[in-house]
Amino acid sequence: QVQLVESGGGSVQAGGSLRLSCTASGYTYSRGCMGWFRQAPGKEREGVAVKCGTGSTNYLYSVRGRFTISGDNAEKTLYLQMNGLKPEDAALYYCAAREGLLSSLLSLVPRWYNYWGQGTQVTVSS
């Protein structure tokens, strides 16, 4: 049984930084993709950053240069370093995983992910 547990959310002022962590159990990263998604009130869930077993990464355009996705050596923990946070980054952030690789065209699309964490809240004040 795959379990994903997020941590690291919080409240920061605009321009601040946070690092999110996602600990995975029962999942083999090398055969699939893991990533971070977010959903703000009244908006659809969107992909923020993903990392696949090939080592490839993909980012939402609006976070490129500010957010960095990484994993530990065993890929049991996935991180999202978020710098230069903006009020529009505020959302509930989810960790997600899937078995099987995805192309960059699809890897940020939430519907392709099978496993989801409970989410961690990120609040950014202006």
Side-chain angles (χ1 to χ4, degrees), residues 27 29 32-37 49-59 68-72 75 77-79 96-98 101 107-108 113:
Y27 176 71
Y29 165 80
C33 300
M34 288 183 72
W36 292 94
F37 297 76
V50 299
K51 190 170 186 287
C52 293
T54 57
S56 65
T57 57
N58 197 11
Y59 292 90
T68 303
I69 190 170
S70 63
D72 65 8
E75 301 292 0
T77 303
L78 188 72
Y79 303 99
R98 61 164 279 124
L101 299 173
S107 61
L108 289 174
Y113 288 77

mmCIF file of all heavy atoms in Angstrom, residues 27 29 32-37 49-59 68-72 75 77-79 96-98 101 107-108 113:
data_model
loop_
_atom_site.group_PDB
_atom_site.id
_atom_site.type_symbol
_atom_site.label_atom_id
_atom_site.label_comp_id
_atom_site.label_asym_id
_atom_site.label_seq_id
_atom_site.Cartn_x
_atom_site.Cartn_y
_atom_site.Cartn_z
ATOM 1 N N TYR A 27 6.325 2.458 -2.252
ATOM 2 C CA TYR A 27 6.384 2.977 -3.624
ATOM 3 C C TYR A 27 7.800 2.882 -4.167
ATOM 4 O O TYR A 27 8.753 3.194 -3.477
ATOM 5 C CB TYR A 27 5.920 4.429 -3.630
ATOM 6 C CG TYR A 27 6.034 5.111 -4.969
ATOM 7 C CD1 TYR A 27 5.181 4.774 -6.016
ATOM 8 C CD2 TYR A 27 7.003 6.071 -5.198
ATOM 9 C CE1 TYR A 27 5.283 5.388 -7.242
ATOM 10 C CE2 TYR A 27 7.117 6.691 -6.420
ATOM 11 C CZ TYR A 27 6.255 6.346 -7.433
ATOM 12 O OH TYR A 27 6.358 6.951 -8.661
ATOM 13 N N TYR A 29 10.060 4.541 -6.690
ATOM 14 C CA TYR A 29 10.166 5.752 -7.487
ATOM 15 C C TYR A 29 10.758 5.507 -8.869
ATOM 16 O O TYR A 29 10.339 6.128 -9.846
ATOM 17 C CB TYR A 29 11.021 6.770 -6.720
ATOM 18 C CG TYR A 29 11.499 7.901 -7.576
ATOM 19 C CD1 TYR A 29 10.648 8.956 -7.878
ATOM 20 C CD2 TYR A 29 12.782 7.909 -8.091
ATOM 21 C CE1 TYR A 29 11.071 9.989 -8.679
ATOM 22 C CE2 TYR A 29 13.212 8.937 -8.883
ATOM 23 C CZ TYR A 29 12.361 9.978 -9.178
ATOM 24 O OH TYR A 29 12.781 10.995 -9.975
ATOM 25 N N GLY A 32 8.459 5.253 -11.834
ATOM 26 C CA GLY A 32 7.351 6.164 -12.057
ATOM 27 C C GLY A 32 7.740 7.608 -11.883
ATOM 28 O O GLY A 32 8.895 7.976 -12.114
ATOM 29 N N CYS A 33 6.778 8.420 -11.514
ATOM 30 C CA CYS A 33 6.966 9.845 -11.309
ATOM 31 C C CYS A 33 6.365 10.260 -9.975
ATOM 32 O O CYS A 33 5.330 9.727 -9.561
ATOM 33 C CB CYS A 33 6.280 10.656 -12.411
ATOM 34 S SG CYS A 33 6.874 10.332 -14.069
ATOM 35 N N MET A 34 7.003 11.219 -9.344
ATOM 36 C CA MET A 34 6.470 11.833 -8.130
ATOM 37 C C MET A 34 6.488 13.327 -8.318
ATOM 38 O O MET A 34 7.338 13.853 -9.048
ATOM 39 C CB MET A 34 7.312 11.488 -6.903
ATOM 40 C CG MET A 34 7.199 10.078 -6.431
ATOM 41 S SD MET A 34 8.170 9.791 -4.930
ATOM 42 C CE MET A 34 7.187 10.672 -3.704
ATOM 43 N N GLY A 35 5.580 13.994 -7.660
ATOM 44 C CA GLY A 35 5.579 15.427 -7.840
ATOM 45 C C GLY A 35 4.725 16.163 -6.837
ATOM 46 O O GLY A 35 4.126 15.573 -5.940
ATOM 47 N N TRP A 36 4.712 17.469 -7.019
ATOM 48 C CA TRP A 36 3.955 18.368 -6.171
ATOM 49 C C TRP A 36 2.867 19.052 -6.993
ATOM 50 O O TRP A 36 3.128 19.534 -8.095
ATOM 51 C CB TRP A 36 4.878 19.414 -5.552
ATOM 52 C CG TRP A 36 5.839 18.835 -4.570
ATOM 53 C CD1 TRP A 36 7.111 18.427 -4.802
ATOM 54 C CD2 TRP A 36 5.566 18.557 -3.201
ATOM 55 N NE1 TRP A 36 7.659 17.916 -3.655
ATOM 56 C CE2 TRP A 36 6.722 17.988 -2.652
ATOM 57 C CE3 TRP A 36 4.452 18.749 -2.370
ATOM 58 C CZ2 TRP A 36 6.812 17.596 -1.311
ATOM 59 C CZ3 TRP A 36 4.542 18.373 -1.046
ATOM 60 C CH2 TRP A 36 5.702 17.804 -0.522
ATOM 61 N N PHE A 37 1.695 19.088 -6.413
ATOM 62 C CA PHE A 37 0.546 19.720 -7.025
ATOM 63 C C PHE A 37 -0.058 20.671 -6.002
ATOM 64 O O PHE A 37 0.181 20.530 -4.815
ATOM 65 C CB PHE A 37 -0.472 18.660 -7.445
ATOM 66 C CG PHE A 37 0.060 17.723 -8.500
ATOM 67 C CD1 PHE A 37 0.958 16.717 -8.161
ATOM 68 C CD2 PHE A 37 -0.322 17.857 -9.814
ATOM 69 C CE1 PHE A 37 1.483 15.876 -9.131
ATOM 70 C CE2 PHE A 37 0.186 17.011 -10.793
ATOM 71 C CZ PHE A 37 1.083 16.025 -10.453
ATOM 72 N N ALA A 49 5.558 20.835 -9.813
ATOM 73 C CA ALA A 49 6.871 20.295 -10.155
ATOM 74 C C ALA A 49 6.828 18.791 -10.021
ATOM 75 O O ALA A 49 6.240 18.272 -9.070
ATOM 76 C CB ALA A 49 7.958 20.869 -9.236
ATOM 77 N N VAL A 50 7.416 18.105 -10.979
ATOM 78 C CA VAL A 50 7.451 16.647 -10.939
ATOM 79 C C VAL A 50 8.847 16.157 -11.271
ATOM 80 O O VAL A 50 9.625 16.838 -11.933
ATOM 81 C CB VAL A 50 6.422 16.012 -11.887
ATOM 82 C CG1 VAL A 50 5.018 16.409 -11.505
ATOM 83 C CG2 VAL A 50 6.719 16.370 -13.320
ATOM 84 N N LYS A 51 9.120 14.947 -10.784
ATOM 85 C CA LYS A 51 10.417 14.307 -11.021
ATOM 86 C C LYS A 51 10.138 12.853 -11.336
ATOM 87 O O LYS A 51 9.415 12.191 -10.591
ATOM 88 C CB LYS A 51 11.291 14.449 -9.769
ATOM 89 C CG LYS A 51 12.741 14.056 -9.932
ATOM 90 C CD LYS A 51 13.524 14.482 -8.694
ATOM 91 C CE LYS A 51 15.010 14.253 -8.852
ATOM 92 N NZ LYS A 51 15.367 12.835 -8.784
ATOM 93 N N CYS A 52 10.686 12.368 -12.446
ATOM 94 C CA CYS A 52 10.423 10.992 -12.841
ATOM 95 C C CYS A 52 11.657 10.132 -12.663
ATOM 96 O O CYS A 52 12.755 10.638 -12.464
ATOM 97 C CB CYS A 52 9.935 10.948 -14.286
ATOM 98 S SG CYS A 52 8.308 11.720 -14.511
ATOM 99 N N GLY A 53 11.445 8.831 -12.736
ATOM 100 C CA GLY A 53 12.516 7.883 -12.489
ATOM 101 C C GLY A 53 13.698 8.018 -13.438
ATOM 102 O O GLY A 53 14.799 7.569 -13.121
ATOM 103 N N THR A 54 13.486 8.641 -14.581
ATOM 104 C CA THR A 54 14.583 8.875 -15.524
ATOM 105 C C THR A 54 15.490 9.999 -15.054
ATOM 106 O O THR A 54 16.552 10.216 -15.627
ATOM 107 C CB THR A 54 14.011 9.273 -16.886
ATOM 108 O OG1 THR A 54 13.181 10.427 -16.717
ATOM 109 C CG2 THR A 54 13.192 8.141 -17.490
ATOM 110 N N GLY A 55 15.044 10.725 -14.040
ATOM 111 C CA GLY A 55 15.774 11.888 -13.560
ATOM 112 C C GLY A 55 15.252 13.197 -14.113
ATOM 113 O O GLY A 55 15.660 14.269 -13.688
ATOM 114 N N SER A 56 14.349 13.114 -15.064
ATOM 115 C CA SER A 56 13.805 14.326 -15.672
ATOM 116 C C SER A 56 12.900 15.067 -14.705
ATOM 117 O O SER A 56 12.239 14.460 -13.866
ATOM 118 C CB SER A 56 13.035 13.975 -16.941
ATOM 119 O OG SER A 56 11.906 13.185 -16.621
ATOM 120 N N THR A 57 12.889 16.370 -14.826
ATOM 121 C CA THR A 57 12.022 17.200 -14.008
ATOM 122 C C THR A 57 11.194 18.106 -14.906
ATOM 123 O O THR A 57 11.565 18.375 -16.047
ATOM 124 C CB THR A 57 12.827 18.071 -13.023
ATOM 125 O OG1 THR A 57 13.752 18.871 -13.765
ATOM 126 C CG2 THR A 57 13.597 17.210 -12.030
ATOM 127 N N ASN A 58 10.096 18.571 -14.369
ATOM 128 C CA ASN A 58 9.228 19.454 -15.126
ATOM 129 C C ASN A 58 8.588 20.421 -14.140
ATOM 130 O O ASN A 58 8.209 20.015 -13.030
ATOM 131 C CB ASN A 58 8.157 18.641 -15.867
ATOM 132 C CG ASN A 58 7.493 19.421 -16.969
ATOM 133 O OD1 ASN A 58 7.938 20.500 -17.346
ATOM 134 N ND2 ASN A 58 6.430 18.867 -17.527
ATOM 135 N N TYR A 59 8.459 21.667 -14.535
ATOM 136 C CA TYR A 59 7.938 22.688 -13.640
ATOM 137 C C TYR A 59 6.825 23.489 -14.299
ATOM 138 O O TYR A 59 6.860 23.756 -15.510
ATOM 139 C CB TYR A 59 9.046 23.681 -13.252
ATOM 140 C CG TYR A 59 10.133 23.114 -12.391
ATOM 141 C CD1 TYR A 59 11.264 22.537 -12.949
ATOM 142 C CD2 TYR A 59 10.035 23.170 -11.001
ATOM 143 C CE1 TYR A 59 12.266 22.013 -12.159
ATOM 144 C CE2 TYR A 59 11.046 22.662 -10.191
ATOM 145 C CZ TYR A 59 12.156 22.089 -10.780
ATOM 146 O OH TYR A 59 13.151 21.576 -9.975
ATOM 147 N N THR A 68 12.425 24.364 -6.617
ATOM 148 C CA THR A 68 13.294 23.271 -7.026
ATOM 149 C C THR A 68 12.801 21.973 -6.407
ATOM 150 O O THR A 68 12.609 21.898 -5.187
ATOM 151 C CB THR A 68 14.741 23.513 -6.590
ATOM 152 O OG1 THR A 68 15.199 24.758 -7.132
ATOM 153 C CG2 THR A 68 15.648 22.392 -7.079
ATOM 154 N N ILE A 69 12.617 20.970 -7.240
ATOM 155 C CA ILE A 69 12.203 19.656 -6.758
ATOM 156 C C ILE A 69 13.430 18.768 -6.661
ATOM 157 O O ILE A 69 14.315 18.810 -7.522
ATOM 158 C CB ILE A 69 11.125 19.033 -7.674
ATOM 159 C CG1 ILE A 69 10.529 17.783 -7.043
ATOM 160 C CG2 ILE A 69 11.668 18.755 -9.070
ATOM 161 C CD1 ILE A 69 9.291 17.259 -7.785
ATOM 162 N N SER A 70 13.496 17.959 -5.608
ATOM 163 C CA SER A 70 14.632 17.059 -5.438
ATOM 164 C C SER A 70 14.189 15.882 -4.588
ATOM 165 O O SER A 70 13.108 15.896 -3.981
ATOM 166 C CB SER A 70 15.808 17.777 -4.786
ATOM 167 O OG SER A 70 15.468 18.206 -3.476
ATOM 168 N N GLY A 71 15.057 14.852 -4.563
ATOM 169 C CA GLY A 71 14.753 13.695 -3.748
ATOM 170 C C GLY A 71 16.004 13.198 -3.051
ATOM 171 O O GLY A 71 17.116 13.525 -3.478
ATOM 172 N N ASP A 72 15.845 12.424 -1.995
ATOM 173 C CA ASP A 72 17.023 11.857 -1.340
ATOM 174 C C ASP A 72 17.537 10.692 -2.181
ATOM 175 O O ASP A 72 16.937 10.314 -3.181
ATOM 176 C CB ASP A 72 16.713 11.440 0.085
ATOM 177 C CG ASP A 72 15.688 10.304 0.148
ATOM 178 O OD1 ASP A 72 15.326 9.748 -0.898
ATOM 179 O OD2 ASP A 72 15.260 9.996 1.263
ATOM 180 N N GLU A 75 15.252 8.067 -2.861
ATOM 181 C CA GLU A 75 14.012 8.611 -3.398
ATOM 182 C C GLU A 75 12.812 8.213 -2.541
ATOM 183 O O GLU A 75 11.705 8.010 -3.040
ATOM 184 C CB GLU A 75 13.793 8.183 -4.843
ATOM 185 C CG GLU A 75 14.905 8.604 -5.775
ATOM 186 C CD GLU A 75 14.982 10.112 -5.990
ATOM 187 O OE1 GLU A 75 14.163 10.840 -5.401
ATOM 188 O OE2 GLU A 75 15.865 10.551 -6.736
ATOM 189 N N THR A 77 12.106 10.239 0.008
ATOM 190 C CA THR A 77 11.598 11.539 0.405
ATOM 191 C C THR A 77 11.760 12.504 -0.754
ATOM 192 O O THR A 77 12.828 12.596 -1.343
ATOM 193 C CB THR A 77 12.337 12.082 1.639
ATOM 194 O OG1 THR A 77 12.223 11.125 2.706
ATOM 195 C CG2 THR A 77 11.720 13.396 2.100
ATOM 196 N N LEU A 78 10.691 13.196 -1.063
ATOM 197 C CA LEU A 78 10.676 14.185 -2.134
ATOM 198 C C LEU A 78 10.577 15.555 -1.501
ATOM 199 O O LEU A 78 9.817 15.743 -0.544
ATOM 200 C CB LEU A 78 9.479 13.938 -3.045
ATOM 201 C CG LEU A 78 9.392 14.754 -4.320
ATOM 202 C CD1 LEU A 78 10.446 14.273 -5.320
ATOM 203 C CD2 LEU A 78 7.995 14.649 -4.923
ATOM 204 N N TYR A 79 11.348 16.498 -2.028
ATOM 205 C CA TYR A 79 11.352 17.845 -1.485
ATOM 206 C C TYR A 79 10.901 18.854 -2.547
ATOM 207 O O TYR A 79 11.082 18.641 -3.740
ATOM 208 C CB TYR A 79 12.755 18.229 -1.019
ATOM 209 C CG TYR A 79 13.346 17.309 0.005
ATOM 210 C CD1 TYR A 79 14.257 16.320 -0.363
ATOM 211 C CD2 TYR A 79 12.982 17.406 1.344
ATOM 212 C CE1 TYR A 79 14.800 15.459 0.569
ATOM 213 C CE2 TYR A 79 13.521 16.547 2.289
ATOM 214 C CZ TYR A 79 14.430 15.578 1.902
ATOM 215 O OH TYR A 79 14.954 14.730 2.844
ATOM 216 N N ALA A 96 2.139 13.674 -4.888
ATOM 217 C CA ALA A 96 1.471 12.629 -5.649
ATOM 218 C C ALA A 96 2.507 11.740 -6.312
ATOM 219 O O ALA A 96 3.639 12.159 -6.558
ATOM 220 C CB ALA A 96 0.535 13.231 -6.683
ATOM 221 N N ALA A 97 2.091 10.530 -6.614
ATOM 222 C CA ALA A 97 2.983 9.574 -7.257
ATOM 223 C C ALA A 97 2.197 8.683 -8.200
ATOM 224 O O ALA A 97 0.979 8.517 -8.042
ATOM 225 C CB ALA A 97 3.693 8.728 -6.199
ATOM 226 N N ARG A 98 2.901 8.133 -9.150
ATOM 227 C CA ARG A 98 2.286 7.184 -10.063
ATOM 228 C C ARG A 98 3.317 6.134 -10.441
ATOM 229 O O ARG A 98 4.528 6.372 -10.397
ATOM 230 C CB ARG A 98 1.771 7.867 -11.334
ATOM 231 C CG ARG A 98 2.812 8.549 -12.159
ATOM 232 C CD ARG A 98 2.313 8.859 -13.570
ATOM 233 N NE ARG A 98 2.411 7.693 -14.423
ATOM 234 C CZ ARG A 98 1.370 7.180 -15.073
ATOM 235 N NH1 ARG A 98 0.162 7.705 -14.960
ATOM 236 N NH2 ARG A 98 1.516 6.115 -15.855
ATOM 237 N N LEU A 101 6.231 5.820 -16.195
ATOM 238 C CA LEU A 101 6.785 7.121 -16.562
ATOM 239 C C LEU A 101 5.784 7.917 -17.396
ATOM 240 O O LEU A 101 4.850 7.358 -17.974
ATOM 241 C CB LEU A 101 8.074 6.918 -17.347
ATOM 242 C CG LEU A 101 9.184 6.184 -16.586
ATOM 243 C CD1 LEU A 101 10.349 5.885 -17.519
ATOM 244 C CD2 LEU A 101 9.644 6.992 -15.394
ATOM 245 N N SER A 107 3.219 15.028 -17.534
ATOM 246 C CA SER A 107 3.664 14.800 -16.160
ATOM 247 C C SER A 107 3.108 15.808 -15.159
ATOM 248 O O SER A 107 3.083 15.514 -13.973
ATOM 249 C CB SER A 107 5.193 14.785 -16.085
ATOM 250 O OG SER A 107 5.739 16.015 -16.506
ATOM 251 N N LEU A 108 2.651 16.959 -15.593
ATOM 252 C CA LEU A 108 2.076 17.941 -14.673
ATOM 253 C C LEU A 108 0.553 17.862 -14.606
ATOM 254 O O LEU A 108 -0.073 18.681 -13.941
ATOM 255 C CB LEU A 108 2.492 19.366 -15.080
ATOM 256 C CG LEU A 108 3.956 19.729 -14.834
ATOM 257 C CD1 LEU A 108 4.266 21.104 -15.413
ATOM 258 C CD2 LEU A 108 4.299 19.693 -13.349
ATOM 259 N N TYR A 113 -2.040 10.703 -11.927
ATOM 260 C CA TYR A 113 -1.404 10.237 -10.703
ATOM 261 C C TYR A 113 -2.367 9.414 -9.867
ATOM 262 O O TYR A 113 -3.520 9.772 -9.669
ATOM 263 C CB TYR A 113 -0.849 11.416 -9.911
ATOM 264 C CG TYR A 113 0.360 11.988 -10.603
ATOM 265 C CD1 TYR A 113 0.206 12.798 -11.722
ATOM 266 C CD2 TYR A 113 1.639 11.675 -10.184
ATOM 267 C CE1 TYR A 113 1.310 13.285 -12.411
ATOM 268 C CE2 TYR A 113 2.755 12.171 -10.852
ATOM 269 C CZ TYR A 113 2.566 12.961 -11.968
ATOM 270 O OH TYR A 113 3.663 13.436 -12.644
#
